[in-house]
Amino acid sequence: MSKLDYCFSNDYMVLRPDRASPFDLLHLLFSPKVGRNKAVDCFTSTEIRSFPRRLALFLNLLLQILLLSLAGPVAAIGAAVELALNFVDNVLHGKMEYPDRSSASYRSLTGLIDRRVDLDRSIAPADSRHHAALCVMASKVAYENEAFIRDVVTRRWQMEFVKFYNCWNEFESAYTAQAFVFCDKAGPDAELVVVAFRGTPAFDAARWRADLDPSWYKVFTEIPGETASPSSSAAGFVASRVNAARELARSAYLGYRRGGYFREGWELLLMRVLAVPLPGLPFHRAHDYVNGVALAARIPKDE
């Protein structure tokens, strides 16, 4: 994608670690003319004379390049871990068979951590909270393969599965987004249509860069606070680590005070611990949104 492709914005800066060469990185350190650097997409006239700011961009690019280089190995490790956990899961359920990644019984790490797929039966379809319960569960199920999703929608939810989509990202030239569509009824009788997108998989190092990337666009110049900078990105990083620690404490509290429905297994607790120091691991997951809806269901509605 060329610099002209950002014409919707009158001011922008997008870091491109996928195009950064050693020369580009050195150029960023010693030259303020970042607009001429292949590792930075911005107007060619853009200059950053502050060395600390250029150093921040340099270090950020290095870290993003590292994550990109680890994307393949991390994905391979993740696939092996999921396969092993599914095999153990089969054995524990009395099935001595090799897991099939395309089958309706194969679960992602998200599905193994939180096995809940049924909708909250305490919330009737006429209840205003029903849509929230349905959407949050669909968001969690979106991490699974097409066969698993189809089985849950049709057999467990008794709804109409429409289609699973593997979406092409033109900017990254890869299939980076997945989604599925389902309805409450078939054909023209449908009164509800839901589109659920998959979030960032646990072992997708390339997507982890979103937590670190200080790229920004200014769309409306008259509205302050529309841009981000390396310093604000760093502040956000620190805040996210604090939130990760809070989520860890809250998960322990909910399991102790609210009972078995909210009690988390060792896999999720381990991920919560690792999420405190590691930026790639989110401090909250689909599991937490399911809990949020379940807790809200226990709050009496206003008369």
Side-chain angles (χ1 to χ4, degrees):
M1 182 174 287
S2 68
K3 298 177 187 293
L4 293 178
D5 292 323
Y6 300 102
C7 59
F8 66 87
S9 174
N10 57 12
D11 195 5
Y12 62 90
M13 180 173 291
V14 180
L15 299 189
R16 296 299 303 268
D18 55 319
R19 300 194 314 211
S21 67
F23 173 79
D24 294 318
L25 294 175
L26 290 175
H27 180 271
L28 192 59
L29 286 177
F30 296 105
S31 173
K33 300 182 183 297
V34 296
R36 299 181 182 179
N37 196 306
K38 292 181 180 179
V40 183
D41 267 344
C42 57
F43 285 108
T44 53
S45 59
T46 301
E47 294 188 5
I48 298 180
R49 298 193 174 277
S50 169
F51 177 76
R53 287 189 62 193
R54 297 203 309 275
L55 178 62
L57 294 178
F58 169 82
L59 294 175
N60 190 281
L61 278 167
L62 278 183
L63 187 53
Q64 290 196 54
I65 291 171
L66 175 63
L67 288 177
L68 284 176
S69 66
L70 292 175
V74 169
I77 292 173
V81 169
E82 281 190 355
L83 188 67
L85 291 176
N86 274 274
F87 179 75
V88 172
D89 189 61
N90 285 347
V91 172
L92 292 177
H93 286 83
K95 297 187 297 182
M96 297 299 296
E97 59 183 38
Y98 191 79
D100 179 3
R101 288 190 172 94
S102 62
S103 73
S105 61
Y106 191 90
R107 290 175 177 265
S108 69
L109 184 61
T110 297
L112 290 166
I113 288 174
D114 182 7
R115 304 184 68 87
R116 295 173 295 183
V117 294
D118 290 322
L119 301 179
D120 191 337
R121 299 184 184 279
S122 67
I123 303 178
D127 195 311
S128 61
R129 296 166 294 178
H130 181 264
H131 287 175
L134 177 62
C135 288
V136 74
M137 193 60 74
S139 298
K140 188 174 78 71
V141 172
Y143 285 88
E144 310 304 326
N145 63 56
E146 181 177 356
F148 186 100
I149 295 172
R150 182 188 297 272
D151 180 69
V152 169
V153 171
T154 58
R155 186 171 63 87
R156 306 293 286 269
W157 298 351
Q158 298 294 306
M159 294 185 178
E160 185 73 13
F161 177 83
V162 178
K163 191 173 182 179
F164 178 86
Y165 294 90
N166 193 20
C167 306
W168 178 259
N169 186 324
E170 187 67 27
F171 184 83
E172 298 189 22
S173 299
Y175 291 98
T176 61
Q178 292 73 36
F180 71 98
V181 180
F182 67 98
C183 307
D184 58 342
K185 302 174 185 177
D189 295 329
E191 298 178 354
L192 176 68
V193 179
V194 179
V195 181
F197 282 87
R198 181 181 298 172
T200 303
F203 294 98
D204 193 340
R207 304 282 82 73
W208 293 353
R209 296 186 298 118
D211 283 350
L212 306 171
D213 193 350
S215 299
W216 52 267
Y217 304 90
K218 182 186 291 184
V219 182
F220 302 106
T221 56
E222 68 273 14
I223 300 179
E226 289 293 314
T227 63
S229 65
S231 59
S232 63
S233 179
F237 171 81
V238 173
S240 67
R241 297 313 100 205
V242 173
N243 285 335
R246 292 175 58 190
E247 291 284 349
L248 175 61
R250 187 175 67 174
S251 68
Y253 170 80
L254 283 177
Y256 175 74
R257 296 291 297 178
R258 294 285 183 169
Y261 185 79
F262 297 96
R263 194 166 295 126
E264 299 177 358
W266 67 268
E267 303 98 335
L268 182 54
L269 287 175
L270 176 61
M271 291 192 67
R272 289 198 188 280
V273 171
L274 294 176
V276 176
L278 298 178
L281 293 177
F283 52 82
H284 60 271
R285 300 191 64 81
H287 179 92
D288 299 292
Y289 302 127
V290 175
N291 285 350
V293 173
L295 287 170
R298 289 166 169 76
I299 300 175
K301 296 181 64 177
D302 294 334
E303 297 296 336

